Amino acid sequence: MQLTEPEITAKTAVQLGLSKEEFDKIKEVMGRTPNFTELSIYSVMWSEHCSYKNSISLLKTLPREGKRLLVEAGEENAGLVDIGDGLACAFKIESHNHPSAIEPYQGAATGVGGIHRDIFTMGARPIASLNSLRFGNPDLKHTKNLVEGVVKGIGDYGNCFGVPVVAGEVYFNDCYNQNILVNAMSVGVVKQGETVSASADGPGNLVFIVGSRTGKDGMHGATFASADLHSESREDLPAVQVGDPFQEKLLLEATLEAIKTGAVVGMQDMGAAGITCSTSEMSAKSKTGMVIHLDKVPTRQDNMMPWEILLSESQERMLIVGKAGEEQALFEVFEKWDLECVQIGEVTDTGMLEFYFKGEKVAEVNAWSLVLGGGAPVYERPISKPAYFSEIKKFNLNKVNVPKDIRAAAKKLFASPNLASKRWVYEQYDSMVRTNNLSTNAPSDAAIVRVEGTVKSLAVTVDCNASYVYADPYVGAMIAVAEAARNIVCTGAVPVAITNCLNFGNPYNPEVYYQFVNVIHGMGEACRKFGTPVTGGNVSFYNQSVIGDKTEPVYPTPVIGMLGILEKPEHHTTLDFKSEGDAIFMLGNSYNDIGSSEYLNVIHGIHHSPVPTFDLHEEYDIQQHVKRLIHGKHVRSAHDVSDGGLFTALMECAIAGGLGFNIETVETFRKDCFLFGESQSRILLTIAPEQEDAIQNYLISNNVSFTKLGEVFGTEVLIDDENFGSVEEWKSLYDNTLGERLEHRNGF
């Protein structure tokens, strides 16, 4: 190999995001000093974003096996679950946080595009999209601009691509003022046996790049995502990719058609690290190698350097390994869809990636040495309990006064941006394209998406209350899994598996790593209890902001994307009140507990308090009984009690059904705790009057804690005989508050 580049030193490696020790390891692996292109390859593949070097040892402790799982966690681009009828569901959630914080429209749009490609790369057609968004103070002009850009980016890309957004969540907290979180989830369906692996089997087979041309957008995006945001981060704007949803739609149809030709051996999306990642991961998986001619890669700009072509994260591209001699079938399919399909290399049996440019070998690296699960470094960092735990221990419920005017407190709480309707957001998304979304006119705790050609549907949800995780990472993570399962069960479906998006600060911070370690332990315990193995997902570290001399991590935010299966249409249960006179039951225990509640934050301005009361075994038992009652057709509506407590849950049921309620609180509890506390494992059910005695007998005989609160009543809200106003009044507050707050721009 002829090397014409200047001497490469440890300083060069550090500038590219590697450590001196990692540079030494690279030299040891290669048996020589790498050139700049080779070092660039290692810098992206050994970045946190690609290698998971600070998380993989812990991720492997999560439950990764289940009778419905068709591939192991992390084995393919997305999880794959048997849903019966000869079909499988591919689903996954990933983050696009840093790009969205710098350029919200393209950052969010390309996050949506990237996660959909992970699904259809496996041969599955995406049928649903979800998202989990975190922003800072909604009154800041900066936050309003970010919200507007992110929502428009998600909406424009998804609407043009033609996949409905069926569910999501939006939270606001000052900890996300600079570093927002944008997590996107895609769900697809494929016939079993028609999936494609991200493999490069068969030396002599051909390597193709298909889709868009390669440009300089997205350069060093993986490295960008593996560092803190700071005041100069906008200078890294070239790391943000630019998306084209119409091109992605063509790529979707072309790749699914190409699979049917039988000429495709393996396929992988070019996401983080571009050609570098797809060539190395596919080769390492198959224990093969590749010879790649970079000058054959179609480019958008002239005179791109080899390392630029290798590291570009331009969107809407795939790497395909095709059967030698059958390439004409691939050329014809992609020509039909007006997409480029260019052979850029071939598979070898050497285990090496050999990159050429205009006849000169510019890089030669061992594929296995680059990848997660191969030669990429693995670390476990020191941990220490967060200092703010001492503030949580100081919390004293007796020093928090019960509001004299409960109705006024309820109104102020219900107007919180974390509880108010997110209609301003979701109305910018297309939720009805392909007409399989069954939740649009009949809201339920999880989205229900019909599986064409069968009687079953998929139930999907994303959940995480980061305030709980901040207060207690172990218990908070269990609650995130439990709430996701609770939402699935309340629809009449059965939880099957999860994907996760783990958003944290800098892993080199011992307090952040303490949060991460305990979240993994809590998540694992809950997933084992609910029988929902982890199919894969994403770890996003470095979500923090450097402001002056101070570094502030975001709240630990392990978002759970859960999949459930609704076997029969008659099991589908919605949250809206159905008929006047129906009895309102609350299953589960209440406590004198307002820990980490929205009420404590909004009404009392207290930000450090214990995690809400939670018992994993009680939670599991409650869910099993609710499932039996729903499947036995004893339940008219079901809704979990979560953010905002019992009052918010009741109001959501009332607003959805246009009917009021008349309830009584329980005198043994503080009124604010009973109405606004967020203790877990509680579910609201409405029961027809003629079923009431039978349900009470069932609950008593099975030792299920419950409270009969009252009944569905007229169009007014009555609590302890006090009239809180009409449902229509509360609906107006619920529907319009967030939009009015976000659109008030102080003259902007």
Side-chain angles (χ1 to χ4, degrees):
M1 179 184 301
Q2 294 183 2
L3 301 178
T4 58
E5 296 170 330
E7 181 184 2
I8 302 299
T9 66
K11 182 179 179 180
T12 316
V14 171
Q15 290 171 338
L16 290 175
L18 294 162
S19 68
K20 182 182 181 301
E21 292 74 21
E22 288 170 343
F23 179 60
D24 291 337
K25 183 177 179 180
I26 291 167
K27 289 191 293 182
E28 180 183 341
V29 168
M30 298 188 70
R32 58 178 172 81
T33 301
N35 63 31
F36 182 78
T37 300
E38 292 165 338
L39 189 63
S40 295
I41 290 171
Y42 276 101
S43 75
V44 292
M45 291 305 298
W46 285 12
S47 69
E48 189 71 51
H49 192 70
C50 291
S51 74
Y52 285 23
K53 57 190 176 185
N54 289 306
S55 61
I56 187 59
S57 62
L58 286 160
L59 296 178
K60 288 181 177 180
T61 68
L62 292 171
R64 299 148 64 92
E65 296 180 353
K67 61 182 181 180
R68 288 186 177 268
L69 267 57
L70 299 175
V71 298
E72 291 186 13
E75 182 180 328
E76 299 291 351
N77 287 313
L80 194 66
V81 172
D82 181 358
I83 59 173
D85 296 304
L87 299 173
C89 175
F91 70 113
K92 188 180 182 183
I93 188 170
E94 281 197 343
S95 65
H96 228 222
N97 302 335
H98 280 36
S100 300
I102 300 299
E103 212 300 298
Y105 180 86
Q106 290 294 351
T110 52
V112 172
I115 195 63
H116 282 321
R117 283 197 302 280
D118 279 339
I119 300 305
F120 69 77
T121 297
M122 296 183 67
R125 179 177 291 277
I127 62 170
S129 178
L130 302 87
N131 54 69
S132 176
L133 311 177
R134 300 293 195 282
F135 299 101
N137 187 331
D139 296 324
L140 297 177
K141 179 179 176 181
H142 176 65
T143 298
K144 298 177 195 289
N145 291 339
L146 288 172
V147 173
E148 181 179 46
V150 165
V151 171
K152 185 169 176 55
I154 292 172
D156 285 358
Y157 202 102
N159 296 350
C160 294
F161 184 58
V163 174
V165 178
V166 299
E169 58 179 8
V170 184
Y171 282 92
F172 298 87
N173 189 290
D174 286 356
C175 74
Y176 306 109
N177 274 345
Q178 187 172 338
N179 199 138
I180 63 175
L181 303 182
V182 176
N183 296 176
M185 179 173 167
S186 179
V187 181
V189 173
V190 61
K191 288 184 179 180
Q192 292 187 36
E194 295 187 4
T195 56
V196 174
S197 178
S199 59
D201 296 337
N205 282 329
L206 308 181
V207 181
F208 303 87
I209 189 169
V210 302
S212 295
R213 291 189 161 226
T214 298
K216 294 186 179 182
D217 54 316
M219 203 65 60
H220 265 294
T223 307
F224 173 57
S226 305
D228 296 337
L229 288 181
H230 50 79
S231 59
E232 303 300 322
S233 286
R234 184 156 290 276
E235 300 302 317
D236 295 328
L237 191 59
V240 179
Q241 308 94 327
V242 178
D244 182 344
F246 299 106
Q247 188 84 338
E248 175 127 331
K249 175 62 174 174
L250 296 177
L251 187 59
L252 162 67
E253 301 300 340
T255 51
L256 294 184
E257 187 172 326
I259 291 168
K260 293 179 180 179
T261 68
V264 176
V265 174
M267 180 163 52
Q268 181 158 328
D269 163 42
M270 288 188 194
I275 293 174
T276 298
C277 188
S278 52
T279 55
S280 59
E281 290 185 348
M282 293 177 77
S283 297
K285 182 175 182 178
S286 297
K287 299 180 181 178
T288 54
M290 289 184 187
V291 170
I292 300 293
H293 299 276
L294 296 174
D295 50 301
K296 292 185 178 181
V297 175
T299 59
R300 291 203 301 267
Q301 286 125 332
D302 294 332
N303 303 318
M304 286 185 68
M305 299 293 291
W307 67 268
E308 292 177 315
I309 297 171
L310 277 168
L311 271 56
S312 169
E313 296 182 10
S314 294
Q315 298 292 286
E316 291 88 37
R317 300 179 302 157
M318 298 283 198
L319 195 75
I320 290 180
V321 173
K323 294 179 181 178
E326 299 184 25
E327 58 268 27
Q328 189 58 38
L330 296 177
F331 291 144
E332 289 175 359
V333 167
F334 285 95
E335 183 179 4
K336 169 188 172 182
W337 291 98
D338 198 26
L339 293 172
E340 289 188 289
C341 174
V342 179
Q343 183 191 342
I344 62 171
E346 66 179 45
V347 178
T348 68
D349 61 1
T350 65
M352 303 297 292
L353 298 175
E354 301 172 68
F355 296 107
Y356 288 83
F357 188 74
K358 296 181 179 179
E360 180 184 356
K361 186 184 288 187
V362 294
E364 182 175 12
V365 293
N366 179 277
W368 184 88
S369 74
L370 295 171
V371 301
L372 165 69
V378 176
Y379 304 119
E380 290 187 19
R381 300 296 174 190
I383 64 172
S384 64
K385 284 188 177 181
Y388 65 80
F389 279 10
S390 61
E391 293 299 312
I392 293 174
K393 289 181 178 180
K394 294 177 183 177
F395 177 77
N396 185 342
L397 177 63
N398 295 325
K399 294 184 178 180
V400 179
N401 295 322
V402 179
K404 293 180 180 179
D405 189 338
I406 287 288
R407 183 183 184 279
K411 188 173 183 179
K412 183 177 180 181
L413 174 64
F414 205 56
S416 162
N418 289 334
L419 300 181
S421 169
K422 307 308 184 292
R423 189 177 72 167
W424 184 89
V425 173
Y426 66 70
E427 282 188 343
Q428 299 184 53
Y429 305 150
D430 189 336
S431 63
M432 287 301 294
V433 62
R434 302 186 67 84
T435 66
N436 288 321
N437 183 5
L438 302 185
S439 304
T440 304
N441 297 317
S444 51
D445 280 13
I448 303 296
V449 184
R450 183 169 58 90
V451 179
E452 291 184 358
T454 76
V455 299
K456 64 167 56 78
S457 298
L458 301 179
V460 287
T461 185
V462 287
D463 289 286
C464 177
N465 187 315
S467 294
Y468 301 168
V469 188
Y470 178 76
D472 187 324
Y474 177 73
V475 175
M478 287 198 290
I479 290 175
V481 175
E483 184 180 354
R486 200 184 314 143
N487 285 330
I488 297 286
V489 166
C490 283
T491 67
V494 177
V496 170
I498 76 161
T499 177
N500 57 48
C501 197
L502 310 179
N503 307 274
F504 290 82
N506 191 323
Y508 294 85
N509 178 339
E511 294 188 358
V512 168
Y513 208 68
Y514 175 95
Q515 294 171 334
F516 182 74
V517 168
N518 282 274
V519 159
I520 295 298
H521 292 332
M523 183 185 304
E525 184 170 345
C527 285
R528 290 183 186 91
K529 184 66 177 179
F530 291 107
T532 52
V534 181
T535 63
N538 176 225
V539 177
S540 176
F541 282 130
Y542 300 98
N543 291 294
Q544 51 194 39
S545 303
V546 180
I547 304 172
D549 296 330
K550 193 174 182 182
T551 301
E552 293 289 345
V554 301
Y555 279 7
T557 312
V559 176
I560 303 298
M562 185 173 284
L563 172 73
I565 298 177
L566 185 70
E567 293 287 354
K568 298 179 180 179
E570 59 266 30
H571 290 166
H572 183 200
T573 305
T574 56
L575 62 85
D576 51 309
F577 287 153
K578 301 297 189 300
S579 299
E580 190 168 355
D582 284 351
I584 303 173
F585 281 63
M586 180 176 67
L587 274 59
N589 290 302
S590 292
Y591 298 89
N592 276 319
D593 172 15
I594 49 177
S596 293
S597 63
E598 191 70 8
Y599 161 76
L600 201 56
N601 178 34
V602 171
I603 304 301
H604 297 282
I606 296 174
H607 308 298
H608 290 90
S609 59
V611 68
T613 303
F614 175 73
D615 182 283
L616 181 60
H617 304 292
E618 178 190 7
E619 175 79 47
Y620 178 80
D621 290 342
I622 291 287
Q623 291 188 23
Q624 299 316 300
H625 289 297
V626 169
K627 182 170 62 176
R628 292 185 195 122
L629 291 172
I630 289 175
H631 290 184
K633 301 180 181 179
H634 301 298
V635 172
R636 305 203 66 174
S637 72
H639 186 32
D640 80 315
V641 178
S642 54
D643 303 345
L646 173 61
F647 178 81
T648 295
L650 286 165
M651 286 306 313
E652 288 170 344
C653 297
I655 289 169
L659 293 169
F661 56 88
N662 182 4
I663 68 158
E664 293 183 359
T665 60
V666 178
E667 292 183 355
T668 53
F669 300 104
R670 284 176 44 142
K671 199 164 187 175
D672 59 344
C673 291
F674 190 77
L675 290 175
F676 310 134
E678 298 178 13
S679 53
Q680 299 294 294
S681 312
R682 295 182 295 165
I683 294 175
L684 289 177
L685 302 179
T686 55
I687 308 296
E690 62 271 19
Q691 293 257 25
E692 188 176 337
D693 288 343
I695 296 304
Q696 289 200 62
N697 290 335
Y698 171 86
L699 296 174
I700 292 169
S701 63
N702 285 280
N703 296 314
V704 180
S705 298
F706 73 95
T707 304
K708 183 184 176 184
L709 297 171
E711 63 180 2
V712 179
F713 181 80
T715 57
E716 302 291 309
V717 175
L718 299 174
I719 300 177
D720 294 335
D721 295 326
E722 179 183 355
N723 193 321
F724 275 52
S726 69
V727 172
E728 189 59 35
E729 173 189 341
W730 288 94
K731 183 178 187 299
S732 178
L733 178 69
Y734 183 68
D735 284 346
N736 300 320
T737 296
L738 182 61
E740 291 173 356
R741 193 163 176 181
L742 289 173
E743 290 176 354
H744 181 68
R745 293 175 171 269
N746 297 321
F748 176 73

